[in-house]
Amino acid sequence: MDINLNTPIYNAMKKHLAKNPVSFHMPGHKFGRTFIIPDLINVGQLDITEIPGLDNLHQPSGIIKEAQELAAKAFGAHHTFFLVNGSTCGIQAAIMSLCNSGDKLILPRDCHKAAVSGMILSGAVPVYVRPQFNHDFNISSVVLADNIEKALKENTDAVGVYITRPNYYGICSDIEKISKIVHSYDKVLIVDEAHGAHFKFSNKLPDCALQHNSDICIQSAHKTLSAFTPGAYLHVKGGRVSVDTIRHNLGILETSSPSYLVMASLDISRAAMEKQGKEDIDVLCERVKNFCQDIKDVSEYRVLSDSMIKSGTIDVTRLVINVMNIGRTGIEVENILRNKYNIQVEMSDLYNIVCITTHGNTSEEFEKLKNALCEIKLDFKKRSILTDICIEDIGIPEQKVDLKEILHKSFFRKSLLESIGRVSYGMITPYPPGIPVICPGEVITKEAVKYIVKIIEAGGNVTGVERDGTVLLLKGG
Ligand SMILES: Cc1ncc(COP(=O)(O)O)c(C=O)c1O
Protein backbone atom coordinates (compact mmCIF):
# COMPACT_ATOMS: atom_id res chain seq x y z
CA MET A 1 0.00 0.00 0.00
CA ASP A 2 1.27 3.45 -0.96
CA ILE A 3 1.41 5.15 2.45
CA ASN A 4 1.56 8.55 0.77
CA LEU A 5 -2.03 8.23 -0.39
CA ASN A 6 -4.43 10.72 1.16
CA THR A 7 -6.59 8.12 2.95
CA PRO A 8 -7.56 9.58 6.35
CA ILE A 9 -9.40 6.53 7.71
CA TYR A 10 -6.76 3.97 6.80
CA ASN A 11 -3.89 6.23 7.92
CA ALA A 12 -5.52 6.80 11.33
CA MET A 13 -6.13 3.09 11.75
CA LYS A 14 -2.48 2.28 11.02
CA LYS A 15 -1.33 5.01 13.42
CA HIS A 16 -3.57 3.63 16.13
CA LEU A 17 -2.27 0.09 15.61
CA ALA A 18 1.36 1.22 15.63
CA LYS A 19 0.88 2.27 19.27
CA ASN A 20 0.19 -1.39 20.08
CA PRO A 21 -2.80 -0.48 22.25
CA VAL A 22 -4.33 -2.74 24.89
CA SER A 23 -7.92 -3.41 23.85
CA PHE A 24 -10.64 -3.81 26.42
CA HIS A 25 -13.26 -2.96 23.85
CA MET A 26 -15.00 -4.66 20.96
CA PRO A 27 -14.42 -6.44 18.67
CA GLY A 28 -13.79 -9.47 20.86
CA HIS A 29 -11.09 -10.92 18.62
CA LYS A 30 -8.59 -8.33 19.94
CA PHE A 31 -6.82 -7.43 16.70
CA GLY A 32 -7.34 -10.95 15.39
CA ARG A 33 -5.47 -12.66 18.27
CA THR A 34 -8.30 -15.06 19.02
CA PHE A 35 -8.72 -16.14 15.41
CA ILE A 36 -7.85 -19.77 14.92
CA ILE A 37 -7.37 -19.26 11.17
CA PRO A 38 -4.07 -17.47 10.43
CA ASP A 39 -5.39 -15.96 7.16
CA LEU A 40 -7.70 -13.73 9.16
CA ILE A 41 -5.12 -12.23 11.52
CA ASN A 42 -4.02 -9.37 9.24
CA VAL A 43 -7.62 -8.52 8.51
CA GLY A 44 -8.39 -8.68 12.24
CA GLN A 45 -5.76 -6.05 12.96
CA LEU A 46 -7.73 -3.58 10.88
CA ASP A 47 -11.17 -4.54 12.15
CA ILE A 48 -11.43 -1.88 14.81
CA THR A 49 -14.27 0.19 16.20
CA GLU A 50 -15.31 3.72 17.12
CA ILE A 51 -12.87 4.73 19.81
CA PRO A 52 -11.66 8.30 20.39
CA GLY A 53 -9.54 9.39 17.45
CA LEU A 54 -11.33 7.13 15.00
CA ASP A 55 -14.48 9.25 14.60
CA ASN A 56 -18.10 8.10 14.34
CA LEU A 57 -19.92 7.30 11.08
CA HIS A 58 -23.25 8.59 12.38
CA GLN A 59 -21.84 11.93 13.59
CA PRO A 60 -18.57 12.39 11.75
CA SER A 61 -16.24 15.18 12.78
CA GLY A 62 -12.75 13.77 12.16
CA ILE A 63 -11.25 11.22 9.80
CA ILE A 64 -14.60 9.93 8.49
CA LYS A 65 -15.77 13.47 7.79
CA GLU A 66 -12.50 14.17 6.01
CA ALA A 67 -12.71 10.94 4.00
CA GLN A 68 -16.32 11.64 3.00
CA GLU A 69 -15.34 15.17 1.93
CA LEU A 70 -12.52 13.79 -0.21
CA ALA A 71 -14.98 11.36 -1.81
CA ALA A 72 -17.52 14.14 -2.48
CA LYS A 73 -14.81 16.14 -4.24
CA ALA A 74 -13.61 13.15 -6.27
CA PHE A 75 -17.11 12.19 -7.44
CA GLY A 76 -18.38 15.74 -7.95
CA ALA A 77 -20.96 15.77 -5.15
CA HIS A 78 -21.73 18.35 -2.48
CA HIS A 79 -21.92 15.72 0.21
CA THR A 80 -21.02 12.02 0.32
CA PHE A 81 -22.09 9.43 2.88
CA PHE A 82 -20.11 6.22 3.31
CA LEU A 83 -22.52 3.29 3.45
CA VAL A 84 -21.62 0.13 5.35
CA ASN A 85 -24.88 -1.68 4.51
CA GLY A 86 -24.59 -1.55 0.73
CA SER A 87 -26.41 0.60 -1.79
CA THR A 88 -29.52 -1.08 -0.42
CA CYS A 89 -29.61 1.11 2.70
CA GLY A 90 -28.68 4.19 0.64
CA ILE A 91 -31.60 3.60 -1.72
CA GLN A 92 -33.96 3.04 1.19
CA ALA A 93 -32.73 6.18 2.99
CA ALA A 94 -32.99 8.24 -0.20
CA ILE A 95 -36.60 7.19 -0.79
CA MET A 96 -37.49 7.68 2.87
CA SER A 97 -35.96 11.15 2.75
CA LEU A 98 -37.93 12.16 -0.33
CA CYS A 99 -41.28 10.48 0.23
CA ASN A 100 -43.74 10.82 3.05
CA SER A 101 -46.47 8.25 3.38
CA GLY A 102 -48.76 8.45 0.34
CA ASP A 103 -46.33 10.45 -1.81
CA LYS A 104 -46.02 9.33 -5.40
CA LEU A 105 -42.62 8.29 -6.77
CA ILE A 106 -42.15 7.79 -10.52
CA LEU A 107 -39.84 4.90 -11.34
CA PRO A 108 -39.23 2.33 -14.05
CA ARG A 109 -40.62 -1.07 -13.22
CA ASP A 110 -37.19 -2.76 -13.52
CA CYS A 111 -35.97 -1.26 -10.25
CA HIS A 112 -33.96 -3.27 -7.74
CA LYS A 113 -35.83 -4.74 -4.77
CA ALA A 114 -34.11 -2.17 -2.53
CA ALA A 115 -36.31 0.50 -4.14
CA VAL A 116 -39.42 -1.54 -3.39
CA SER A 117 -38.37 -1.99 0.23
CA GLY A 118 -37.63 1.76 0.37
CA MET A 119 -41.21 2.42 -0.73
CA ILE A 120 -42.58 -0.05 1.84
CA LEU A 121 -40.61 1.70 4.59
CA SER A 122 -41.59 5.22 3.53
CA GLY A 123 -45.16 4.46 2.48
CA ALA A 124 -44.49 5.87 -0.98
CA VAL A 125 -46.84 5.01 -3.81
CA PRO A 126 -45.06 3.79 -6.96
CA VAL A 127 -45.99 5.18 -10.35
CA TYR A 128 -44.32 2.64 -12.59
CA VAL A 129 -43.03 3.47 -16.05
CA ARG A 130 -42.29 0.65 -18.45
CA PRO A 131 -38.67 0.49 -19.55
CA GLN A 132 -37.89 -0.29 -23.20
CA PHE A 133 -37.22 -3.88 -24.06
CA ASN A 134 -34.31 -5.20 -26.10
CA HIS A 135 -35.70 -8.17 -28.04
CA ASP A 136 -32.31 -9.29 -29.39
CA PHE A 137 -31.03 -9.98 -25.89
CA ASN A 138 -34.41 -10.36 -24.21
CA ILE A 139 -33.51 -7.86 -21.53
CA SER A 140 -34.82 -4.62 -20.10
CA SER A 141 -33.21 -1.64 -21.73
CA VAL A 142 -33.35 2.13 -21.19
CA VAL A 143 -36.20 4.14 -19.74
CA LEU A 144 -37.11 6.87 -22.22
CA ALA A 145 -37.02 10.51 -21.15
CA ASP A 146 -40.33 10.99 -22.99
CA ASN A 147 -41.98 8.32 -20.85
CA ILE A 148 -40.67 9.96 -17.69
CA GLU A 149 -42.07 13.28 -18.90
CA LYS A 150 -45.44 11.68 -19.67
CA ALA A 151 -45.57 10.27 -16.12
CA LEU A 152 -44.63 13.69 -14.70
CA LYS A 153 -47.40 15.34 -16.69
CA GLU A 154 -49.96 12.77 -15.57
CA ASN A 155 -48.81 12.88 -11.94
CA THR A 156 -48.14 16.50 -11.13
CA ASP A 157 -48.32 15.59 -7.44
CA ALA A 158 -45.39 13.13 -7.68
CA VAL A 159 -42.48 14.17 -5.46
CA GLY A 160 -39.71 12.83 -7.66
CA VAL A 161 -38.27 10.34 -10.10
CA TYR A 162 -36.05 7.36 -9.37
CA ILE A 163 -34.10 5.59 -12.11
CA THR A 164 -31.65 2.70 -12.23
CA ARG A 165 -28.71 3.64 -14.38
CA PRO A 166 -26.89 1.57 -15.49
CA ASN A 167 -29.05 -1.49 -15.22
CA TYR A 168 -27.47 -4.87 -14.41
CA TYR A 169 -26.64 -5.27 -18.12
CA GLY A 170 -24.66 -2.03 -18.15
CA ILE A 171 -27.34 -0.19 -20.16
CA CYS A 172 -27.56 3.53 -19.40
CA SER A 173 -30.62 5.69 -20.03
CA ASP A 174 -30.09 9.23 -21.30
CA ILE A 175 -29.33 10.88 -17.97
CA GLU A 176 -28.74 14.31 -19.47
CA LYS A 177 -32.25 14.46 -20.95
CA ILE A 178 -33.95 12.81 -17.97
CA SER A 179 -32.26 15.09 -15.46
CA LYS A 180 -33.23 18.22 -17.43
CA ILE A 181 -36.84 17.08 -17.69
CA VAL A 182 -37.16 16.12 -14.02
CA HIS A 183 -35.68 19.41 -12.89
CA SER A 184 -37.82 21.39 -15.32
CA TYR A 185 -40.80 20.05 -13.30
CA ASP A 186 -38.91 21.04 -10.14
CA LYS A 187 -38.81 17.44 -8.91
CA VAL A 188 -36.04 15.44 -7.27
CA LEU A 189 -34.03 12.87 -9.24
CA ILE A 190 -32.60 9.85 -7.43
CA VAL A 191 -30.25 7.66 -9.46
CA ASP A 192 -29.44 4.10 -8.46
CA GLU A 193 -25.93 3.97 -9.91
CA ALA A 194 -25.06 0.83 -7.94
CA HIS A 195 -23.27 -0.55 -11.00
CA GLY A 196 -21.58 2.69 -12.09
CA ALA A 197 -19.18 3.81 -9.35
CA HIS A 198 -16.32 3.71 -11.89
CA PHE A 199 -17.98 6.00 -14.47
CA LYS A 200 -16.58 9.27 -13.15
CA PHE A 201 -13.00 8.25 -13.77
CA SER A 202 -12.85 7.65 -17.52
CA ASN A 203 -14.22 9.33 -20.62
CA LYS A 204 -14.42 5.87 -22.20
CA LEU A 205 -17.39 5.20 -19.92
CA PRO A 206 -20.85 6.78 -19.69
CA ASP A 207 -21.11 9.97 -17.63
CA CYS A 208 -21.71 9.66 -13.91
CA ALA A 209 -25.23 10.85 -12.97
CA LEU A 210 -23.71 13.57 -10.78
CA GLN A 211 -22.21 15.13 -13.92
CA HIS A 212 -25.83 15.82 -14.88
CA ASN A 213 -26.87 17.08 -11.47
CA SER A 214 -28.83 14.15 -10.14
CA ASP A 215 -29.90 15.14 -6.65
CA ILE A 216 -28.98 11.81 -5.07
CA CYS A 217 -26.73 9.17 -6.59
CA ILE A 218 -26.05 5.84 -4.90
CA GLN A 219 -23.10 3.67 -5.93
CA SER A 220 -21.95 0.22 -4.80
CA ALA A 221 -18.20 0.72 -4.57
CA HIS A 222 -17.90 -2.99 -3.85
CA LYS A 223 -19.24 -3.88 -7.30
CA THR A 224 -16.94 -2.04 -9.71
CA LEU A 225 -14.32 -0.39 -7.48
CA SER A 226 -12.08 -2.10 -4.93
CA ALA A 227 -14.13 -1.64 -1.75
CA PHE A 228 -14.98 -4.52 0.53
CA THR A 229 -18.50 -5.94 0.37
CA PRO A 230 -20.92 -4.14 0.99
CA GLY A 231 -19.21 -0.72 0.86
CA ALA A 232 -21.15 1.95 -1.05
CA TYR A 233 -21.51 5.71 -1.41
CA LEU A 234 -24.54 7.96 -1.27
CA HIS A 235 -23.81 11.28 -2.96
CA VAL A 236 -25.95 14.39 -2.68
CA LYS A 237 -25.80 17.31 -5.12
CA GLY A 238 -27.68 20.61 -5.15
CA GLY A 239 -30.11 21.85 -2.54
CA ARG A 240 -33.32 19.96 -3.35
CA VAL A 241 -32.78 17.30 -0.69
CA SER A 242 -31.73 17.83 2.87
CA VAL A 243 -28.45 16.21 3.87
CA ASP A 244 -29.67 16.23 7.49
CA THR A 245 -32.78 14.24 6.57
CA ILE A 246 -30.69 11.64 4.76
CA ARG A 247 -28.29 11.41 7.72
CA HIS A 248 -31.27 10.95 10.03
CA ASN A 249 -32.69 8.13 7.91
CA LEU A 250 -29.32 6.42 7.52
CA GLY A 251 -29.06 6.59 11.30
CA ILE A 252 -32.30 4.62 11.50
CA LEU A 253 -31.33 2.05 8.87
CA GLU A 254 -27.61 1.46 9.31
CA THR A 255 -25.83 -0.57 11.92
CA SER A 256 -24.51 1.23 15.01
CA SER A 257 -21.30 -0.82 14.67
CA PRO A 258 -19.97 0.24 11.27
CA SER A 259 -17.09 -1.79 9.85
CA TYR A 260 -13.81 0.13 9.67
CA LEU A 261 -12.58 -2.38 7.13
CA VAL A 262 -15.44 -1.35 4.86
CA MET A 263 -15.06 2.37 5.55
CA ALA A 264 -11.29 2.30 5.00
CA SER A 265 -11.82 0.40 1.77
CA LEU A 266 -14.26 3.09 0.58
CA ASP A 267 -11.63 5.70 1.40
CA ILE A 268 -8.87 3.73 -0.36
CA SER A 269 -11.05 2.99 -3.43
CA ARG A 270 -11.62 6.70 -3.93
CA ALA A 271 -7.89 7.45 -3.55
CA ALA A 272 -6.95 4.66 -5.96
CA MET A 273 -9.39 5.87 -8.62
CA GLU A 274 -8.13 9.44 -8.32
CA LYS A 275 -4.53 8.28 -8.59
CA GLN A 276 -4.78 5.74 -11.38
CA GLY A 277 -8.44 5.13 -12.28
CA LYS A 278 -8.14 6.53 -15.79
CA GLU A 279 -5.11 4.39 -16.64
CA ASP A 280 -6.62 1.27 -15.06
CA ILE A 281 -9.84 1.70 -17.03
CA ASP A 282 -7.85 2.29 -20.24
CA VAL A 283 -6.09 -1.04 -19.68
CA LEU A 284 -9.40 -2.75 -18.97
CA CYS A 285 -11.12 -1.27 -22.03
CA GLU A 286 -8.30 -2.55 -24.23
CA ARG A 287 -8.67 -6.06 -22.80
CA VAL A 288 -12.43 -5.96 -23.27
CA LYS A 289 -12.01 -4.67 -26.83
CA ASN A 290 -9.65 -7.53 -27.69
CA PHE A 291 -12.05 -10.05 -26.16
CA CYS A 292 -14.97 -8.64 -28.15
CA GLN A 293 -12.92 -8.73 -31.37
CA ASP A 294 -12.01 -12.37 -30.77
CA ILE A 295 -15.51 -13.47 -29.83
CA LYS A 296 -16.96 -11.64 -32.85
CA ASP A 297 -15.44 -14.36 -35.04
CA VAL A 298 -17.51 -16.92 -33.16
CA SER A 299 -20.82 -16.13 -34.78
CA GLU A 300 -22.89 -18.11 -32.26
CA TYR A 301 -22.26 -15.52 -29.56
CA ARG A 302 -23.36 -11.89 -29.58
CA VAL A 303 -21.88 -9.32 -27.23
CA LEU A 304 -24.05 -6.34 -26.32
CA SER A 305 -22.65 -3.16 -27.84
CA ASP A 306 -23.56 0.52 -28.03
CA SER A 307 -25.02 0.26 -31.53
CA MET A 308 -27.65 -2.20 -30.24
CA ILE A 309 -29.11 0.31 -27.75
CA LYS A 310 -31.42 3.04 -28.97
CA SER A 311 -31.59 6.25 -26.89
CA GLY A 312 -28.87 5.18 -24.51
CA THR A 313 -25.32 3.98 -24.04
CA ILE A 314 -23.61 1.01 -22.46
CA ASP A 315 -20.82 0.44 -20.00
CA VAL A 316 -18.26 -1.39 -22.13
CA THR A 317 -16.73 -3.04 -19.06
CA ARG A 318 -19.95 -5.01 -18.50
CA LEU A 319 -19.85 -8.03 -20.79
CA VAL A 320 -23.28 -9.27 -21.78
CA ILE A 321 -22.94 -12.35 -23.96
CA ASN A 322 -26.02 -13.80 -25.61
CA VAL A 323 -25.75 -17.59 -25.84
CA MET A 324 -29.12 -18.48 -27.40
CA ASN A 325 -27.59 -19.66 -30.66
CA ILE A 326 -25.69 -22.53 -29.05
CA GLY A 327 -28.98 -24.03 -27.93
CA ARG A 328 -28.38 -23.53 -24.22
CA THR A 329 -29.70 -21.17 -21.61
CA GLY A 330 -27.45 -18.58 -20.01
CA ILE A 331 -27.94 -20.41 -16.72
CA GLU A 332 -26.62 -23.64 -18.26
CA VAL A 333 -23.59 -21.85 -19.71
CA GLU A 334 -22.90 -20.23 -16.34
CA ASN A 335 -22.93 -23.69 -14.73
CA ILE A 336 -20.67 -25.22 -17.39
CA LEU A 337 -18.20 -22.34 -17.07
CA ARG A 338 -18.08 -22.87 -13.31
CA ASN A 339 -18.00 -26.65 -13.19
CA LYS A 340 -15.80 -27.42 -16.17
CA TYR A 341 -13.63 -24.33 -16.59
CA ASN A 342 -13.45 -22.86 -13.09
CA ILE A 343 -14.80 -19.52 -14.34
CA GLN A 344 -17.53 -17.80 -12.35
CA VAL A 345 -19.54 -15.09 -14.09
CA GLU A 346 -21.57 -12.44 -12.25
CA MET A 347 -24.96 -13.74 -13.33
CA SER A 348 -26.96 -15.35 -16.05
CA ASP A 349 -30.53 -15.35 -17.27
CA LEU A 350 -32.38 -17.55 -19.70
CA TYR A 351 -30.56 -16.05 -22.67
CA ASN A 352 -27.34 -14.36 -21.54
CA ILE A 353 -24.35 -14.51 -19.26
CA VAL A 354 -23.12 -11.29 -17.65
CA CYS A 355 -19.55 -10.59 -16.48
CA ILE A 356 -18.43 -7.71 -14.28
CA THR A 357 -14.91 -6.92 -15.40
CA THR A 358 -12.35 -4.67 -13.71
CA HIS A 359 -8.64 -4.05 -14.29
CA GLY A 360 -8.15 -6.89 -11.80
CA ASN A 361 -9.05 -9.27 -14.64
CA THR A 362 -5.91 -10.24 -16.55
CA SER A 363 -5.63 -10.73 -20.33
CA GLU A 364 -5.10 -14.43 -19.59
CA GLU A 365 -8.47 -14.56 -17.85
CA PHE A 366 -10.23 -12.99 -20.84
CA GLU A 367 -8.44 -15.52 -23.07
CA LYS A 368 -9.55 -18.35 -20.81
CA LEU A 369 -13.17 -17.17 -21.00
CA LYS A 370 -13.00 -16.92 -24.79
CA ASN A 371 -11.47 -20.40 -25.13
CA ALA A 372 -14.05 -21.88 -22.79
CA LEU A 373 -16.94 -20.30 -24.73
CA CYS A 374 -15.45 -21.60 -27.99
CA GLU A 375 -15.31 -25.13 -26.58
CA ILE A 376 -18.81 -24.92 -25.11
CA LYS A 377 -20.34 -23.95 -28.44
CA LEU A 378 -18.92 -27.11 -30.05
CA ASP A 379 -21.29 -29.06 -27.86
CA PHE A 380 -24.26 -27.46 -29.63
CA LYS A 381 -27.67 -28.63 -28.47
CA LYS A 382 -30.29 -28.80 -31.15
CA ARG A 383 -33.42 -27.56 -29.48
CA SER A 384 -35.70 -24.64 -29.74
CA ILE A 385 -34.64 -22.19 -27.13
CA LEU A 386 -37.09 -20.42 -24.93
CA THR A 387 -38.01 -17.56 -27.21
CA ASP A 388 -41.63 -17.88 -26.16
CA ILE A 389 -41.01 -16.50 -22.70
CA CYS A 390 -39.97 -13.00 -21.90
CA ILE A 391 -40.31 -10.61 -18.99
CA GLU A 392 -41.84 -7.99 -21.26
CA ASP A 393 -45.05 -10.05 -21.42
CA ILE A 394 -45.57 -9.68 -17.68
CA GLY A 395 -46.00 -5.94 -17.91
CA ILE A 396 -46.88 -4.13 -14.71
CA PRO A 397 -49.14 -6.25 -12.49
CA GLU A 398 -52.16 -4.65 -10.83
CA GLN A 399 -51.38 -3.16 -7.39
CA LYS A 400 -54.34 -4.33 -5.30
CA VAL A 401 -53.02 -3.30 -1.87
CA ASP A 402 -50.70 -0.32 -1.26
CA LEU A 403 -47.11 -1.11 -0.33
CA LYS A 404 -47.45 0.94 2.86
CA GLU A 405 -50.28 -1.26 4.11
CA ILE A 406 -48.50 -4.56 3.52
CA LEU A 407 -46.35 -4.59 6.64
CA HIS A 408 -49.44 -4.65 8.84
CA LYS A 409 -51.27 -7.43 7.02
CA SER A 410 -51.38 -11.19 7.59
CA PHE A 411 -50.25 -13.79 5.12
CA PHE A 412 -50.41 -17.48 4.35
CA ARG A 413 -48.52 -19.89 2.11
CA LYS A 414 -49.74 -21.49 -1.07
CA SER A 415 -48.07 -23.14 -4.05
CA LEU A 416 -46.96 -20.71 -6.74
CA LEU A 417 -49.05 -22.57 -9.31
CA GLU A 418 -52.20 -22.06 -7.24
CA SER A 419 -51.45 -18.39 -6.61
CA ILE A 420 -52.65 -16.98 -9.95
CA GLY A 421 -55.18 -14.20 -9.40
CA ARG A 422 -54.27 -13.79 -5.72
CA VAL A 423 -52.48 -10.89 -4.05
CA SER A 424 -48.82 -11.43 -3.18
CA TYR A 425 -47.54 -10.63 0.29
CA GLY A 426 -43.90 -11.23 -0.63
CA MET A 427 -41.55 -10.01 -3.31
CA ILE A 428 -40.87 -12.63 -5.97
CA THR A 429 -37.48 -11.87 -7.40
CA PRO A 430 -35.07 -13.74 -9.65
CA TYR A 431 -31.70 -13.11 -7.95
CA PRO A 432 -29.60 -11.87 -9.53
CA PRO A 433 -30.56 -9.42 -11.01
CA GLY A 434 -32.79 -8.67 -8.02
CA ILE A 435 -35.62 -7.08 -10.01
CA PRO A 436 -38.98 -8.19 -8.59
CA VAL A 437 -41.35 -9.86 -11.03
CA ILE A 438 -44.11 -9.50 -8.44
CA CYS A 439 -44.06 -6.87 -5.69
CA PRO A 440 -46.01 -7.02 -2.41
CA GLY A 441 -49.67 -6.13 -2.87
CA GLU A 442 -49.68 -7.04 -6.57
CA VAL A 443 -51.93 -9.59 -8.23
CA ILE A 444 -50.00 -12.64 -9.40
CA THR A 445 -50.65 -13.22 -13.10
CA LYS A 446 -50.47 -16.31 -15.30
CA GLU A 447 -47.64 -14.72 -17.32
CA ALA A 448 -45.62 -14.00 -14.18
CA VAL A 449 -46.01 -17.58 -12.90
CA LYS A 450 -45.02 -18.98 -16.31
CA TYR A 451 -41.89 -16.81 -16.31
CA ILE A 452 -40.92 -17.69 -12.73
CA VAL A 453 -41.44 -21.42 -13.32
CA LYS A 454 -39.22 -21.28 -16.43
CA ILE A 455 -36.43 -19.65 -14.46
CA ILE A 456 -36.67 -22.21 -11.66
CA GLU A 457 -36.82 -25.10 -14.14
CA ALA A 458 -33.74 -23.72 -15.88
CA GLY A 459 -31.88 -23.81 -12.52
CA GLY A 460 -32.12 -20.08 -11.70
CA ASN A 461 -32.56 -18.69 -8.21
CA VAL A 462 -35.84 -16.98 -7.33
CA THR A 463 -36.19 -15.44 -3.88
CA GLY A 464 -39.73 -15.34 -2.52
CA VAL A 465 -40.45 -18.87 -3.78
CA GLU A 466 -39.58 -21.47 -1.15
CA ARG A 467 -37.94 -24.83 -1.95
CA ASP A 468 -41.35 -26.49 -1.64
CA GLY A 469 -42.67 -24.16 -4.38
CA THR A 470 -44.81 -22.01 -2.09
CA VAL A 471 -45.13 -18.23 -1.96
CA LEU A 472 -46.55 -15.82 0.62
CA LEU A 473 -50.04 -14.55 -0.18
CA LEU A 474 -52.06 -11.86 1.49
CA LYS A 475 -54.81 -13.19 3.75
CA GLY A 476 -58.16 -12.25 2.30
CA GLY A 477 -56.48 -11.02 -0.91
C1 LIG B 1 -29.40 -2.09 -9.66
C2 LIG B 1 -29.03 -2.42 -8.24
N1 LIG B 1 -29.32 -1.53 -7.28
C3 LIG B 1 -29.03 -1.77 -5.99
C4 LIG B 1 -28.42 -2.94 -5.60
C5 LIG B 1 -28.11 -3.17 -4.15
O1 LIG B 1 -26.74 -2.97 -3.96
P1 LIG B 1 -25.98 -3.51 -2.67
O2 LIG B 1 -25.70 -4.95 -2.92
O3 LIG B 1 -24.72 -2.68 -2.64
O4 LIG B 1 -26.83 -3.29 -1.49
C6 LIG B 1 -28.10 -3.90 -6.58
C7 LIG B 1 -27.48 -5.16 -6.20
O5 LIG B 1 -27.15 -5.99 -6.97
C8 LIG B 1 -28.43 -3.64 -7.93
O6 LIG B 1 -28.18 -4.53 -8.90
Side-chain angles (χ1 to χ4, degrees), residues 372-389:
L373 288 171
C374 288
E375 265 189 47
I376 292 171
K377 70 128 194 180
L378 297 177
D379 196 13
F380 173 74
K381 276 200 163 179
K382 196 165 184 326
R383 70 169 189 219
S384 69
I385 201 88
L386 315 142
T387 41
D388 61 322
I389 180 89

Side-chain angles (χ1 to χ4, degrees), residues 383-432:
R383 70 169 189 219
S384 69
I385 201 88
L386 315 142
T387 41
D388 61 322
I389 180 89
C390 108
I391 191 146
E392 195 190 23
D393 298 337
I394 299 167
I396 299 174
E398 181 195 354
Q399 185 93 43
K400 203 66 181 273
V401 177
D402 280 354
L403 285 172
K404 68 176 160 57
E405 286 170 33
I406 290 290
L407 280 180
H408 313 289
K409 300 267 181 197
S410 309
F411 59 84
F412 67 106
R413 284 194 174 283
K414 199 142 190 95
S415 99
L416 174 67
L417 297 175
E418 292 172 282
S419 69
I420 295 168
R422 293 183 182 262
V423 179
S424 183
Y425 179 85
M427 229 187 286
I428 305 178
T429 315
Y431 215 106

Side-chain angles (χ1 to χ4, degrees), residues 14-61:
K14 289 300 277 184
K15 215 163 126 193
H16 174 70
L17 284 169
K19 288 189 259 169
N20 204 10
V22 175
S23 161
F24 286 111
H25 56 77
M26 62 178 190
H29 58 64
K30 311 295 168 181
F31 306 111
R33 273 183 231 142
T34 62
F35 288 157
I36 58 166
I37 306 214
D39 284 354
L40 292 179
I41 289 171
N42 284 345
V43 176
Q45 293 239 325
L46 293 172
D47 181 28
I48 47 190
T49 192
E50 296 144 305
I51 49 177
L54 291 183
D55 211 0
N56 181 328
L57 178 66
H58 294 287
Q59 216 164 14
S61 60

Side-chain angles (χ1 to χ4, degrees), residues 85-88 91 112 164 168 192 194-195 220 222-223 431 433:
N85 291 43
S87 283
T88 296
I91 289 168
H112 187 261
T164 307
Y168 222 124
D192 169 357
H195 291 271
S220 295
H222 67 95
K223 292 193 201 300
Y431 215 106

Side-chain angles (χ1 to χ4, degrees), residues 67-84:
Q68 292 189 152
E69 283 168 2
L70 285 165
K73 192 156 170 254
F75 286 91
H78 291 137
H79 191 94
T80 294
F81 291 95
F82 282 5
L83 305 175
V84 293

